[in-house]
Structure formats: C-alpha cells, structure tokens
Amino acid sequence: EFDNYSKNIQNLIDKNKLSKAREIIFKNKKLLNNSASVLVHGDFHPGNMIINSSNPPFSLVIIDWANIHINNYLYDAVFLWIIFSQYPYLQKKIIKHLTESHQIIENFDILFKINLIRIIPQIIETLDYMQQFSKENFKQKIKNYINIFEKSV
C-alpha cells in the first residue's frame, strides 16, 4: 500500500508506524478485497459539496468526481471524518450516523482503521504538494493528520 507514496511520506511518518500499517493492511487484504463493492467519491469533503438552500427542500450536489472508484462502504465517511479532525463534534456525528443508520456494521472497527491508514497518507501527499502553490500554511494540518495516522496503528 505505502510503496506508492513518495519518500516524503516515508520521512514524515514514523517508519515503525508505517511498518505496522503495512502489516494491518496485509493481514486484512481479504477483507479489503471482499468489502470493495461500493462506488465512492474518493475526495469527499465540504469543498466538493454545494448546498442549494435557496428554496426548500434544500439539496446537496456533490462535485469533482475525478477520484471515483470502487471501495468499501466506509471509505468516503472516513475521508470526511479525517477532514473534520479539528471538529470532534462533527466526527462524533459521522460515527453516530454510520453506526445507527447502517446495518452494515460488520467489521466496522477494522475497516475504519484500515481506511484511516490508507487515506491519511494520500491527504498528506496532497497537502504537501499544495504548499508550493499556496500561501496557506499546511504544516499544522500535516502534523495533525500524522498524529491521527500514528494513533490509529
């Protein structure tokens, strides 16, 4: 999984944690393959959501489908959960919604963890790349995501 990431990721994230993450993914490869049955957005965050609130009922439009792919049912929700890492209240609402409204909670904990350790390096790569084009400081966000990654393995 992580061999496709740059040396930068391997320099940013503790090597022992990356090794542990590889083990978790390898150990659960069959579960990952068997659960990859849902079409996911792949870049599910508020910047890719447009809310039409002009006339009730309100509608939500999801844009930027460039990363669409088949994955497990938690992929987009975990992506959003990561993006909301500075908003624990929203993270709790996401978990509550997933566990209360979905009957597909088999392997929830391990799939959630696997998605965390697969998605966070991708987000870090993107933020690190964006730093060269933006005045916004992404260093704190990157540190935050590394912390979540390392806690999850």
Side-chain angles (χ1 to χ4, degrees):
E1 278 290 322
F2 299 102
D3 297 332
N4 295 331
Y5 294 112
S6 70
K7 293 290 182 195
N8 189 35
I9 286 292
Q10 295 174 23
N11 291 333
L12 287 171
I13 298 176
D14 178 88
K15 290 183 184 0
N16 292 328
K17 298 293 184 175
L18 279 174
S19 179
K20 178 74 172 160
R22 284 185 185 104
E23 289 174 28
I24 291 168
I25 289 173
F26 180 76
K27 179 181 169 188
N28 292 285
K29 201 67 167 167
K30 186 175 181 179
L31 173 63
L32 277 173
N33 290 337
N34 291 341
S35 65
S37 61
V38 179
L39 192 62
V40 299
H41 184 273
D43 190 20
F44 197 64
H45 61 82
N48 285 334
M49 300 174 193
I50 299 172
I51 299 174
N52 178 0
S53 59
S54 58
N55 296 349
F58 304 125
S59 61
L60 174 68
V61 177
I62 308 299
I63 60 170
D64 185 9
W65 289 85
N67 296 317
I68 191 171
H69 63 281
I70 302 293
N71 215 309
N72 62 73
Y73 72 99
L74 286 175
Y75 188 91
D76 280 339
V78 172
F79 194 102
L80 191 59
W81 186 90
I82 294 165
I83 298 299
F84 286 154
S85 63
Q86 295 179 22
Y87 306 98
Y89 172 73
L90 292 174
Q91 286 182 310
K92 288 176 186 173
K93 286 190 74 98
I94 291 169
I95 298 297
K96 184 177 184 205
H97 174 75
L98 286 170
T99 56
E100 288 180 358
S101 66
H102 288 73
Q103 296 192 7
I104 313 172
I105 56 172
E106 184 179 353
N107 300 311
F108 179 89
D109 292 337
I110 189 64
L111 277 176
F112 196 91
K113 177 185 273 196
I114 291 169
N115 281 306
L116 279 175
I117 62 179
R118 291 171 76 202
I119 295 169
I120 288 174
Q122 295 170 10
I123 293 173
I124 292 170
E125 280 283 328
T126 302
L127 290 175
D128 191 54
Y129 177 75
M130 290 170 61
Q131 280 187 107
Q132 49 189 318
F133 303 107
S134 173
K135 292 181 182 177
E136 183 178 346
N137 184 350
F138 292 105
K139 286 183 179 23
Q140 187 56 44
K141 287 182 182 179
I142 290 172
K143 285 179 185 176
N144 182 43
Y145 294 139
I146 290 171
N147 187 38
I148 295 169
F149 177 92
E150 291 182 349
K151 285 181 180 177
S152 68
V153 291

PDB file of all heavy atoms in Angstrom, residues 23-45:
ATOM      1  N   GLU A  23       1.464  -4.029   7.919  1.00  0.00           N
ATOM      2  CA  GLU A  23       1.045  -5.317   8.495  1.00  0.00           C
ATOM      3  C   GLU A  23      -0.467  -5.403   8.624  1.00  0.00           C
ATOM      4  O   GLU A  23      -1.065  -6.438   8.312  1.00  0.00           O
ATOM      5  CB  GLU A  23       1.682  -5.513   9.879  1.00  0.00           C
ATOM      6  CG  GLU A  23       3.151  -5.784   9.866  1.00  0.00           C
ATOM      7  CD  GLU A  23       3.733  -5.832  11.282  1.00  0.00           C
ATOM      8  OE1 GLU A  23       2.994  -6.177  12.240  1.00  0.00           O
ATOM      9  OE2 GLU A  23       4.928  -5.511  11.431  1.00  0.00           O
ATOM     10  N   ILE A  24      -1.075  -4.336   9.115  1.00  0.00           N
ATOM     11  CA  ILE A  24      -2.536  -4.328   9.286  1.00  0.00           C
ATOM     12  C   ILE A  24      -3.226  -4.512   7.934  1.00  0.00           C
ATOM     13  O   ILE A  24      -4.160  -5.298   7.805  1.00  0.00           O
ATOM     14  CB  ILE A  24      -2.996  -3.014   9.962  1.00  0.00           C
ATOM     15  CG1 ILE A  24      -2.519  -2.977  11.407  1.00  0.00           C
ATOM     16  CG2 ILE A  24      -4.516  -2.853   9.882  1.00  0.00           C
ATOM     17  CD1 ILE A  24      -2.663  -1.623  12.090  1.00  0.00           C
ATOM     18  N   ILE A  25      -2.750  -3.800   6.937  1.00  0.00           N
ATOM     19  CA  ILE A  25      -3.361  -3.909   5.607  1.00  0.00           C
ATOM     20  C   ILE A  25      -3.137  -5.297   5.029  1.00  0.00           C
ATOM     21  O   ILE A  25      -4.069  -5.909   4.502  1.00  0.00           O
ATOM     22  CB  ILE A  25      -2.834  -2.805   4.673  1.00  0.00           C
ATOM     23  CG1 ILE A  25      -3.418  -1.463   5.130  1.00  0.00           C
ATOM     24  CG2 ILE A  25      -3.201  -3.084   3.221  1.00  0.00           C
ATOM     25  CD1 ILE A  25      -2.865  -0.265   4.417  1.00  0.00           C
ATOM     26  N   PHE A  26      -1.924  -5.819   5.135  1.00  0.00           N
ATOM     27  CA  PHE A  26      -1.627  -7.147   4.606  1.00  0.00           C
ATOM     28  C   PHE A  26      -2.478  -8.212   5.301  1.00  0.00           C
ATOM     29  O   PHE A  26      -3.064  -9.079   4.656  1.00  0.00           O
ATOM     30  CB  PHE A  26      -0.133  -7.473   4.759  1.00  0.00           C
ATOM     31  CG  PHE A  26       0.233  -8.817   4.231  1.00  0.00           C
ATOM     32  CD1 PHE A  26       0.345  -9.027   2.852  1.00  0.00           C
ATOM     33  CD2 PHE A  26       0.451  -9.878   5.086  1.00  0.00           C
ATOM     34  CE1 PHE A  26       0.665 -10.271   2.347  1.00  0.00           C
ATOM     35  CE2 PHE A  26       0.768 -11.134   4.591  1.00  0.00           C
ATOM     36  CZ  PHE A  26       0.883 -11.334   3.219  1.00  0.00           C
ATOM     37  N   LYS A  27      -2.575  -8.112   6.609  1.00  0.00           N
ATOM     38  CA  LYS A  27      -3.356  -9.071   7.399  1.00  0.00           C
ATOM     39  C   LYS A  27      -4.839  -9.050   7.003  1.00  0.00           C
ATOM     40  O   LYS A  27      -5.530 -10.052   7.087  1.00  0.00           O
ATOM     41  CB  LYS A  27      -3.201  -8.743   8.883  1.00  0.00           C
ATOM     42  CG  LYS A  27      -3.967  -9.632   9.815  1.00  0.00           C
ATOM     43  CD  LYS A  27      -3.760  -9.183  11.255  1.00  0.00           C
ATOM     44  CE  LYS A  27      -4.715  -9.885  12.186  1.00  0.00           C
ATOM     45  NZ  LYS A  27      -4.675  -9.338  13.533  1.00  0.00           N
ATOM     46  N   ASN A  28      -5.332  -7.903   6.544  1.00  0.00           N
ATOM     47  CA  ASN A  28      -6.751  -7.744   6.231  1.00  0.00           C
ATOM     48  C   ASN A  28      -7.020  -7.577   4.736  1.00  0.00           C
ATOM     49  O   ASN A  28      -8.067  -7.070   4.348  1.00  0.00           O
ATOM     50  CB  ASN A  28      -7.299  -6.543   6.998  1.00  0.00           C
ATOM     51  CG  ASN A  28      -7.322  -6.797   8.478  1.00  0.00           C
ATOM     52  OD1 ASN A  28      -8.154  -7.530   8.978  1.00  0.00           O
ATOM     53  ND2 ASN A  28      -6.364  -6.222   9.189  1.00  0.00           N
ATOM     54  N   LYS A  29      -6.092  -8.021   3.916  1.00  0.00           N
ATOM     55  CA  LYS A  29      -6.230  -7.865   2.463  1.00  0.00           C
ATOM     56  C   LYS A  29      -7.505  -8.548   1.944  1.00  0.00           C
ATOM     57  O   LYS A  29      -8.208  -7.997   1.097  1.00  0.00           O
ATOM     58  CB  LYS A  29      -4.993  -8.435   1.762  1.00  0.00           C
ATOM     59  CG  LYS A  29      -4.792  -7.919   0.394  1.00  0.00           C
ATOM     60  CD  LYS A  29      -4.452  -6.449   0.443  1.00  0.00           C
ATOM     61  CE  LYS A  29      -3.931  -5.975  -0.880  1.00  0.00           C
ATOM     62  NZ  LYS A  29      -3.883  -4.531  -0.964  1.00  0.00           N
ATOM     63  N   LYS A  30      -7.800  -9.722   2.457  1.00  0.00           N
ATOM     64  CA  LYS A  30      -9.001 -10.440   2.013  1.00  0.00           C
ATOM     65  C   LYS A  30     -10.262  -9.649   2.362  1.00  0.00           C
ATOM     66  O   LYS A  30     -11.162  -9.510   1.533  1.00  0.00           O
ATOM     67  CB  LYS A  30      -9.055 -11.831   2.649  1.00  0.00           C
ATOM     68  CG  LYS A  30     -10.182 -12.685   2.139  1.00  0.00           C
ATOM     69  CD  LYS A  30     -10.124 -14.086   2.713  1.00  0.00           C
ATOM     70  CE  LYS A  30     -11.267 -14.924   2.165  1.00  0.00           C
ATOM     71  NZ  LYS A  30     -11.231 -16.294   2.680  1.00  0.00           N
ATOM     72  N   LEU A  31     -10.327  -9.109   3.568  1.00  0.00           N
ATOM     73  CA  LEU A  31     -11.462  -8.281   3.979  1.00  0.00           C
ATOM     74  C   LEU A  31     -11.580  -7.066   3.066  1.00  0.00           C
ATOM     75  O   LEU A  31     -12.675  -6.720   2.620  1.00  0.00           O
ATOM     76  CB  LEU A  31     -11.307  -7.836   5.433  1.00  0.00           C
ATOM     77  CG  LEU A  31     -12.330  -6.826   5.945  1.00  0.00           C
ATOM     78  CD1 LEU A  31     -13.736  -7.405   5.926  1.00  0.00           C
ATOM     79  CD2 LEU A  31     -11.948  -6.369   7.348  1.00  0.00           C
ATOM     80  N   LEU A  32     -10.463  -6.426   2.775  1.00  0.00           N
ATOM     81  CA  LEU A  32     -10.474  -5.258   1.885  1.00  0.00           C
ATOM     82  C   LEU A  32     -11.009  -5.621   0.512  1.00  0.00           C
ATOM     83  O   LEU A  32     -11.850  -4.924  -0.050  1.00  0.00           O
ATOM     84  CB  LEU A  32      -9.067  -4.671   1.747  1.00  0.00           C
ATOM     85  CG  LEU A  32      -8.627  -3.735   2.837  1.00  0.00           C
ATOM     86  CD1 LEU A  32      -7.160  -3.371   2.662  1.00  0.00           C
ATOM     87  CD2 LEU A  32      -9.477  -2.494   2.858  1.00  0.00           C
ATOM     88  N   ASN A  33     -10.506  -6.706  -0.029  1.00  0.00           N
ATOM     89  CA  ASN A  33     -10.960  -7.128  -1.360  1.00  0.00           C
ATOM     90  C   ASN A  33     -12.439  -7.486  -1.367  1.00  0.00           C
ATOM     91  O   ASN A  33     -13.170  -7.115  -2.285  1.00  0.00           O
ATOM     92  CB  ASN A  33     -10.129  -8.312  -1.858  1.00  0.00           C
ATOM     93  CG  ASN A  33      -8.706  -7.913  -2.185  1.00  0.00           C
ATOM     94  OD1 ASN A  33      -8.418  -6.756  -2.460  1.00  0.00           O
ATOM     95  ND2 ASN A  33      -7.804  -8.875  -2.137  1.00  0.00           N
ATOM     96  N   ASN A  34     -12.885  -8.198  -0.344  1.00  0.00           N
ATOM     97  CA  ASN A  34     -14.287  -8.616  -0.279  1.00  0.00           C
ATOM     98  C   ASN A  34     -15.239  -7.458   0.001  1.00  0.00           C
ATOM     99  O   ASN A  34     -16.410  -7.515  -0.368  1.00  0.00           O
ATOM    100  CB  ASN A  34     -14.471  -9.701   0.781  1.00  0.00           C
ATOM    101  CG  ASN A  34     -13.829 -11.009   0.390  1.00  0.00           C
ATOM    102  OD1 ASN A  34     -13.540 -11.248  -0.785  1.00  0.00           O
ATOM    103  ND2 ASN A  34     -13.555 -11.850   1.367  1.00  0.00           N
ATOM    104  N   SER A  35     -14.754  -6.422   0.665  1.00  0.00           N
ATOM    105  CA  SER A  35     -15.640  -5.304   1.014  1.00  0.00           C
ATOM    106  C   SER A  35     -15.653  -4.202  -0.044  1.00  0.00           C
ATOM    107  O   SER A  35     -16.444  -3.271   0.053  1.00  0.00           O
ATOM    108  CB  SER A  35     -15.240  -4.721   2.373  1.00  0.00           C
ATOM    109  OG  SER A  35     -13.953  -4.155   2.300  1.00  0.00           O
ATOM    110  N   ALA A  36     -14.803  -4.308  -1.022  1.00  0.00           N
ATOM    111  CA  ALA A  36     -14.744  -3.278  -2.076  1.00  0.00           C
ATOM    112  C   ALA A  36     -15.881  -3.512  -3.067  1.00  0.00           C
ATOM    113  O   ALA A  36     -15.714  -4.128  -4.108  1.00  0.00           O
ATOM    114  CB  ALA A  36     -13.393  -3.308  -2.779  1.00  0.00           C
ATOM    115  N   SER A  37     -17.059  -2.991  -2.708  1.00  0.00           N
ATOM    116  CA  SER A  37     -18.238  -3.253  -3.532  1.00  0.00           C
ATOM    117  C   SER A  37     -19.129  -2.021  -3.714  1.00  0.00           C
ATOM    118  O   SER A  37     -20.252  -2.144  -4.173  1.00  0.00           O
ATOM    119  CB  SER A  37     -19.059  -4.376  -2.888  1.00  0.00           C
ATOM    120  OG  SER A  37     -19.481  -3.985  -1.597  1.00  0.00           O
ATOM    121  N   VAL A  38     -18.601  -0.863  -3.362  1.00  0.00           N
ATOM    122  CA  VAL A  38     -19.398   0.365  -3.385  1.00  0.00           C
ATOM    123  C   VAL A  38     -18.671   1.416  -4.226  1.00  0.00           C
ATOM    124  O   VAL A  38     -17.456   1.550  -4.144  1.00  0.00           O
ATOM    125  CB  VAL A  38     -19.594   0.901  -1.949  1.00  0.00           C
ATOM    126  CG1 VAL A  38     -20.385   2.189  -1.940  1.00  0.00           C
ATOM    127  CG2 VAL A  38     -20.251  -0.141  -1.067  1.00  0.00           C
ATOM    128  N   LEU A  39     -19.433   2.151  -5.002  1.00  0.00           N
ATOM    129  CA  LEU A  39     -18.871   3.263  -5.751  1.00  0.00           C
ATOM    130  C   LEU A  39     -18.672   4.431  -4.785  1.00  0.00           C
ATOM    131  O   LEU A  39     -19.620   4.868  -4.147  1.00  0.00           O
ATOM    132  CB  LEU A  39     -19.830   3.655  -6.879  1.00  0.00           C
ATOM    133  CG  LEU A  39     -19.321   4.603  -7.944  1.00  0.00           C
ATOM    134  CD1 LEU A  39     -18.141   3.995  -8.693  1.00  0.00           C
ATOM    135  CD2 LEU A  39     -20.433   4.945  -8.913  1.00  0.00           C
ATOM    136  N   VAL A  40     -17.428   4.906  -4.652  1.00  0.00           N
ATOM    137  CA  VAL A  40     -17.136   6.002  -3.728  1.00  0.00           C
ATOM    138  C   VAL A  40     -16.619   7.218  -4.482  1.00  0.00           C
ATOM    139  O   VAL A  40     -16.073   7.095  -5.576  1.00  0.00           O
ATOM    140  CB  VAL A  40     -16.131   5.579  -2.629  1.00  0.00           C
ATOM    141  CG1 VAL A  40     -16.686   4.447  -1.781  1.00  0.00           C
ATOM    142  CG2 VAL A  40     -14.779   5.210  -3.211  1.00  0.00           C
ATOM    143  N   HIS A  41     -16.783   8.366  -3.879  1.00  0.00           N
ATOM    144  CA  HIS A  41     -16.343   9.632  -4.458  1.00  0.00           C
ATOM    145  C   HIS A  41     -14.814   9.716  -4.476  1.00  0.00           C
ATOM    146  O   HIS A  41     -14.215  10.113  -5.457  1.00  0.00           O
ATOM    147  CB  HIS A  41     -16.939  10.793  -3.663  1.00  0.00           C
ATOM    148  CG  HIS A  41     -16.638  12.134  -4.215  1.00  0.00           C
ATOM    149  ND1 HIS A  41     -15.485  12.826  -3.885  1.00  0.00           N
ATOM    150  CD2 HIS A  41     -17.335  12.921  -5.069  1.00  0.00           C
ATOM    151  CE1 HIS A  41     -15.487  13.986  -4.530  1.00  0.00           C
ATOM    152  NE2 HIS A  41     -16.605  14.078  -5.249  1.00  0.00           N
ATOM    153  N   GLY A  42     -14.201   9.386  -3.347  1.00  0.00           N
ATOM    154  CA  GLY A  42     -12.753   9.347  -3.257  1.00  0.00           C
ATOM    155  C   GLY A  42     -12.099  10.637  -2.804  1.00  0.00           C
ATOM    156  O   GLY A  42     -10.911  10.651  -2.492  1.00  0.00           O
ATOM    157  N   ASP A  43     -12.843  11.742  -2.762  1.00  0.00           N
ATOM    158  CA  ASP A  43     -12.317  13.036  -2.329  1.00  0.00           C
ATOM    159  C   ASP A  43     -13.465  13.809  -1.668  1.00  0.00           C
ATOM    160  O   ASP A  43     -13.752  14.947  -1.985  1.00  0.00           O
ATOM    161  CB  ASP A  43     -11.763  13.801  -3.535  1.00  0.00           C
ATOM    162  CG  ASP A  43     -10.985  15.044  -3.161  1.00  0.00           C
ATOM    163  OD1 ASP A  43     -10.533  15.148  -2.005  1.00  0.00           O
ATOM    164  OD2 ASP A  43     -10.839  15.938  -4.024  1.00  0.00           O
ATOM    165  N   PHE A  44     -14.093  13.131  -0.730  1.00  0.00           N
ATOM    166  CA  PHE A  44     -15.351  13.591  -0.149  1.00  0.00           C
ATOM    167  C   PHE A  44     -15.095  14.567   0.990  1.00  0.00           C
ATOM    168  O   PHE A  44     -14.752  14.173   2.104  1.00  0.00           O
ATOM    169  CB  PHE A  44     -16.129  12.368   0.347  1.00  0.00           C
ATOM    170  CG  PHE A  44     -17.583  12.610   0.589  1.00  0.00           C
ATOM    171  CD1 PHE A  44     -18.423  12.944  -0.448  1.00  0.00           C
ATOM    172  CD2 PHE A  44     -18.111  12.475   1.854  1.00  0.00           C
ATOM    173  CE1 PHE A  44     -19.777  13.153  -0.233  1.00  0.00           C
ATOM    174  CE2 PHE A  44     -19.461  12.676   2.092  1.00  0.00           C
ATOM    175  CZ  PHE A  44     -20.287  13.024   1.043  1.00  0.00           C
ATOM    176  N   HIS A  45     -15.227  15.855   0.698  1.00  0.00           N
ATOM    177  CA  HIS A  45     -15.028  16.890   1.710  1.00  0.00           C
ATOM    178  C   HIS A  45     -15.927  18.079   1.365  1.00  0.00           C
ATOM    179  O   HIS A  45     -16.464  18.168   0.260  1.00  0.00           O
ATOM    180  CB  HIS A  45     -13.558  17.298   1.806  1.00  0.00           C
ATOM    181  CG  HIS A  45     -12.996  17.870   0.547  1.00  0.00           C
ATOM    182  ND1 HIS A  45     -13.161  19.182   0.179  1.00  0.00           N
ATOM    183  CD2 HIS A  45     -12.271  17.290  -0.438  1.00  0.00           C
ATOM    184  CE1 HIS A  45     -12.550  19.395  -0.971  1.00  0.00           C
ATOM    185  NE2 HIS A  45     -12.007  18.259  -1.373  1.00  0.00           N
TER     186      HIS A  45
END
